[in-house]
Amino acid sequence: MGFSPMAKKLKNRTSAGRKTKAKKSHSRAQRAVAKHAVREAQVQYVPWHTIPLEELNPLLQRQFVVGQEIMVARVLLKKGCIVPEHSHHNEQLTYILDGALKFWIDGKEIVVHSGEVLCIPAHMPHKAEALEDTVDLDVFNPPRADWINKTDQYLRGQK
């Protein structure tokens, strides 16, 4: 069964409206990332101890470095810290340096221990809990504009 010409026109407008809104949001994110990213391709040498720890809540701290198209973050989670369910357009690779995180993702519970890696596709909702004090290295492509702009309210002020 086909759509009437009016229904097609309305569907196309609604779809175009969503695309325009998503495009504007993505454009804002790109500007935010560009503001903090390296302007030209160049080598960056950044010892972690030179980057101040950002305290998001009493159980969660982080540091990050932003390149042209990639971002690496060192995330420190105290035992019991909950990262609420969220999703983002960034692909994420999580490498646990020390400790363990339990993830709820794609209908499964996955515990990632020290020395293990989890790759989370873009737009996939996920949640995590620190099973012990944990040091996590997260890599994002593209860089997380919400982290750079400090608009990541889902992480701030919670346990």
Side-chain angles (χ1 to χ4, degrees):
M1 182 173 155
F3 288 105
S4 71
M6 180 57 97
K8 282 182 185 177
K9 190 183 264 187
L10 184 58
K11 181 178 183 280
N12 289 341
R13 267 194 213 148
T14 305
S15 178
R18 270 189 255 126
K19 286 178 187 172
T20 301
K21 186 176 179 180
K23 194 173 186 176
K24 285 180 184 176
S25 175
H26 186 67
S27 174
R28 275 194 304 272
Q30 285 177 319
R31 283 194 305 274
V33 168
K35 197 166 130 182
H36 291 274
V38 177
R39 301 271 184 237
E40 296 178 21
Q42 63 183 8
V43 173
Q44 288 188 76
Y45 171 72
V46 185
W48 284 118
H49 70 82
T50 65
I51 302 172
L53 278 169
E54 179 183 6
E55 188 168 321
L56 299 166
N57 69 57
L59 301 179
L60 182 62
Q61 298 174 309
R62 74 171 173 218
Q63 302 160 292
F64 55 81
V65 176
V66 180
Q68 286 187 298
E69 297 181 28
I70 200 163
M71 173 185 205
V72 63
R74 183 171 171 261
V75 183
L76 308 170
L77 305 97
K78 297 273 188 211
K79 181 178 180 174
C81 179
I82 302 284
V83 176
E85 186 175 62
H86 64 287
S87 66
H88 37 76
H89 72 275
N90 321 76
E91 184 175 14
Q92 176 178 344
L93 190 132
T94 296
Y95 173 50
I96 304 300
L97 296 169
D98 192 33
L101 291 180
K102 180 195 287 189
F103 285 86
W104 288 266
I105 183 167
D106 200 25
K108 302 177 200 123
E109 287 185 17
I110 302 169
V111 177
V112 186
H113 297 276
S114 178
E116 298 177 342
V117 177
L118 178 66
C119 188
I120 304 171
H123 306 288
M124 182 163 285
H126 54 284
K127 172 184 172 177
E129 178 182 359
L131 300 179
E132 53 191 86
D133 289 354
T134 300
V135 180
D136 156 19
L137 199 68
D138 285 336
V139 179
F140 297 99
N141 181 27
R144 294 282 305 267
D146 61 332
W147 286 22
I148 293 167
N149 292 333
K150 302 187 184 327
T151 57
D152 49 356
Q153 292 307 113
Y154 74 99
L155 291 175
R156 298 175 180 275
Q158 300 179 15
K159 285 186 176 183

